[in-house]
Amino acid sequence: MLYACESKMVKLTMIARVTDGLPLAEGLDDGRDIQDADFYKQQAKSLFKNLSMGQIEASRMSVETGPYIFHYNIEGRVCYLTMCDRSYPKKLAFQYLEDLKNEFERVNGSQIETAARPYAFIKFDTFIQKTKKLYQDTRTQRNITKLNDELYEVHQIMTRNVQEVLGVGEKLDQVSQMSSRLTSESRIYADKARDLNRQALIRKWAPVAIVIGVVILLFWAKNKIW
């Protein structure tokens, strides 16, 4: 089957380390032609966060958000993510990510684990922009050939809604926060209980201690006098 549709493809491209969600690179020109670009970038970062916390298990997934769709691919502890129009073919989107992955590993592979600051590989934007242009028009012979490549299938890649995906992480965060709050409240309660016990002991034994003190004082005074 031949595909011959035209659609503006990449809206955002972001690359992050899965182990901690650290952003490594992104397309610098991305998001200029869409409204709420910062909102979608924040959603992408939330996806990276959930991945780093192990709240999303799939190594490849498509995530619908408004009129767009995120596609991500995880290879070698790095997540390659793009956001496209929903009408853009999934197969091309994942082949685009595959091209980014191959070049990123070739150029930066030995430095990925030691990167300590966000966007340590921002110069990779040059390759992102160049590759994006190749995939932008689905009618080119190159892209039609890729679309009809039966060896590269994406039918089994799961598609989910962004609220469903991010909601899992939010619920787990809420559970974690509630657990931390209960632990903190338990400590406070234990401290208050110890204080109350201490006060009760003081109230119970203070009169006895006073009487004993008076007796000892009188005994001492009597000996002094005699």
Side-chain angles (χ1 to χ4, degrees), residues 1-204:
M1 177 180 179
L2 292 179
Y3 296 80
C5 62
E6 181 180 10
S7 179
K8 180 89 171 179
M9 187 268 257
V10 173
K11 303 298 183 181
L12 297 174
T13 300
M14 301 180 73
I15 301 173
R17 191 165 57 197
V18 175
T19 51
D20 55 6
L22 181 74
L24 301 174
E26 71 174 51
L28 297 180
D29 291 336
D30 292 351
R32 293 185 179 181
D33 60 339
I34 61 173
Q35 292 183 338
D36 301 322
D38 290 339
F39 170 76
Y40 292 112
K41 285 186 178 181
Q42 188 57 50
Q43 281 192 334
K45 291 177 181 178
S46 296
L47 285 171
F48 292 145
K49 177 184 175 183
N50 283 14
L51 286 166
S52 70
M53 298 174 67
Q55 295 170 359
I56 305 174
E57 296 182 356
S59 61
R60 295 200 298 174
M61 185 184 289
S62 298
V63 182
E64 296 174 338
T65 176
Y68 308 112
I69 185 166
F70 289 113
H71 301 288
Y72 76 76
N73 183 27
I74 297 175
E75 292 281 352
R77 297 185 180 182
V78 176
C79 181
Y80 304 87
L81 177 144
T82 185
M83 187 182 79
C84 316
D85 291 311
R86 287 201 187 195
S87 59
Y88 192 85
K90 180 187 284 190
K91 181 179 283 190
L92 278 187
F94 278 96
Q95 287 181 317
Y96 167 71
L97 294 177
E98 188 76 14
D99 285 356
L100 296 185
K101 185 265 297 184
N102 291 337
E103 182 66 9
F104 194 77
E105 286 184 348
R106 186 187 70 81
V107 176
N108 304 307
S110 62
Q111 306 171 60
I112 293 172
E113 290 298 324
T114 57
R117 58 184 176 84
Y119 303 105
F121 310 109
I122 199 64
K123 291 182 180 179
F124 192 70
D125 169 68
T126 302
F127 184 81
I128 291 175
Q129 300 304 328
K130 181 176 69 173
T131 308
K132 181 171 68 173
K133 290 178 181 178
L134 296 176
Y135 281 89
Q136 210 73 309
D137 187 352
T138 61
R139 300 173 303 176
T140 64
Q141 186 58 49
R142 173 187 179 277
N143 288 336
I144 290 175
T145 300
K146 284 181 173 291
L147 284 167
N148 289 280
D149 181 3
E150 295 181 359
L151 297 177
Y152 194 92
E153 289 299 334
V154 294
H155 297 301
Q156 295 181 346
I157 296 177
M158 186 186 308
T159 299
R160 295 173 64 184
N161 181 270
V162 70
Q163 296 303 325
E164 178 186 359
V165 174
L166 297 184
V168 173
E170 290 173 359
K171 289 177 182 177
L172 289 175
D173 284 344
Q174 290 172 2
V175 171
S176 177
Q177 291 171 6
M178 184 178 296
S179 175
S180 298
R181 186 166 60 250
L182 289 173
T183 300
S184 177
E185 290 175 353
S186 296
R187 290 198 190 100
I188 294 172
Y189 176 79
D191 291 341
K192 287 183 177 179
R194 282 194 293 270
D195 288 340
L196 289 173
N197 288 335
R198 192 180 302 112
Q199 292 173 15
L201 287 172
I202 291 172
R203 283 195 298 269
K204 180 179 179 179

